[in-house]
Amino acid sequence: MVSRSNQTLNNLWDVTVVKMAAMLVEESIYNLIPLCPLKPSKGPRYVSALNPYVKCTMQQAKSQWKTIGPPKVLVPSPKDFLQKHSKEPKLPKRGKDQTGKKTPKLSVPCRTDHPVMGIQSKKNFINTNAANVIMGVAKKPVPFSVDRYQGDKFPLETSGLVPKYRKKKDYGVTPKYVLRRTEEAKRAQEAYDAYVKKTLREKAMKRLSDEEREELLDGLKENWEQVHKAFQSLSVEIDTLPKKLNKERLELQMKQLEHDINNIEKHKVIYIANK
């Protein structure tokens, strides 16, 4: 007991001393001087032991042509400067004709040629011209059209008043391309009509026979019996959500089956659409 009381006193004394020291520290005038924050000293820089191996590998993988350009570029000579008309296309020099044929002479006389002198003709051009005019066929006058009383006229052929298009051989005949397009449109319409008839024939209503109707009615009633049996097997107390959902599902199935059975019993003739 004495040792325990001494230990308790010692603990109280220690706490008191710590509190007094904290109070003295807070009330000290030296606490008003701002202290410089101590920066943690950096450790030595990390250097990988595989640095030489990596450098050697990168140097082997790099090529001198994979940089901006070749390491050494030839400097152009000062004598190879750009000259005038140096970039214009130049025609090749004309060589000798390989076929050996001489080029034909020009019809224009040369400067050194002299005209032939002293040639005289005994032809009477006056009588010849008069005979040509007398024996020649007279020209037909060009038809004109006058549209004003002052005498304004213009050629009749280009005026559109001459029915020259009506006198053509193919006037009033249907062009071949129109006949071809009409035939193509007719074939397309026939193919479309055949497709429509085939589609309507496939989608025609099918009548259900009496045997099939009775078989369908028996199957619906059998399904209703199975669903009703499952509904009767439900527990009396429905206290969970799955039980409630199962009950609602069975009720919906029974209602749908009853609706289908009533429709089939009500109608003796039933048609089914082909999809």
Side-chain angles (χ1 to χ4, degrees), residues 3 29 38 40 83-84 163 170 175 187 200 224 255:
S3 61
I29 194 172
L38 297 176
Q83 298 181 1
K84 187 176 182 181
D170 56 351
R187 288 198 299 267
L200 293 176
W224 185 87
K255 288 182 180 179

Side-chain angles (χ1 to χ4, degrees), residues 102-253:
K102 295 182 180 180
T103 56
K105 292 184 179 180
L106 299 177
S107 60
V108 180
C110 299
R111 294 173 58 187
T112 58
D113 294 344
H114 298 282
V116 180
M117 305 296 291
I119 298 177
Q120 296 181 0
S121 176
K122 297 181 181 180
K123 183 178 180 180
N124 191 350
F125 291 95
I126 296 175
N127 295 336
T128 303
N129 293 337
N132 292 334
V133 170
I134 293 171
M135 299 299 294
V137 180
K139 293 182 179 180
K140 293 183 179 181
V142 179
F144 285 94
S145 174
V146 180
D147 58 349
R148 300 181 65 183
Y149 65 91
Q150 285 88 353
D152 297 340
K153 62 180 181 178
F154 50 87
L156 183 63
E157 185 177 0
T158 59
S159 64
L161 301 176
V162 180
K164 57 182 180 179
Y165 294 102
R166 192 178 61 185
K167 295 181 180 180
K168 287 186 176 181
K169 294 181 179 180
D170 56 351
Y171 179 78
V173 180
T174 307
K176 293 182 180 180
Y177 74 93
V178 176
L179 296 175
R180 185 172 62 255
R181 290 184 179 179
T182 305
E183 190 67 23
E184 291 176 358
K186 184 178 179 181
R187 288 198 299 267
Q189 185 65 29
E190 291 176 357
Y192 177 74
D193 294 341
Y195 170 74
V196 170
K197 290 180 180 179
K198 182 179 177 182
T199 306
L200 293 176
R201 196 182 305 111
E202 291 177 354
K203 294 184 178 180
M205 303 292 286
K206 178 184 176 182
R207 181 177 177 178
L208 201 65
S209 62
D210 296 339
E211 293 80 6
E212 293 176 349
R213 177 175 172 277
E214 293 295 335
E215 184 178 357
L216 179 61
L217 190 60
D218 294 340
L220 290 175
K221 290 181 179 180
E222 185 177 355
N223 292 339
W224 185 87
E225 292 292 340
Q226 294 177 1
V227 176
H228 185 264
K229 183 177 180 180
F231 182 79
Q232 294 292 335
S233 301
L234 293 176
S235 59
V236 178
E237 185 179 359
I238 299 175
D239 53 353
T240 60
L241 182 60
K243 292 181 180 181
K244 184 178 180 181
L245 295 176
N246 189 20
K247 180 182 177 183
E248 293 177 355
R249 181 178 61 83
L250 294 175
E251 289 178 350
L252 290 175
Q253 290 182 2

Side-chain angles (χ1 to χ4, degrees), residues 58-92:
M58 291 296 292
Q59 193 67 23
Q60 292 177 358
K62 186 181 292 185
S63 177
Q64 61 179 357
W65 293 98
K66 292 185 179 179
T67 57
I68 298 177
K72 293 182 181 180
V73 181
L74 297 177
V75 181
S77 175
K79 296 181 180 180
D80 298 337
F81 58 89
L82 184 63
Q83 298 181 1
K84 187 176 182 181
H85 304 293
S86 61
K87 292 188 176 182
E88 293 181 358
K90 296 181 180 179
L91 296 175

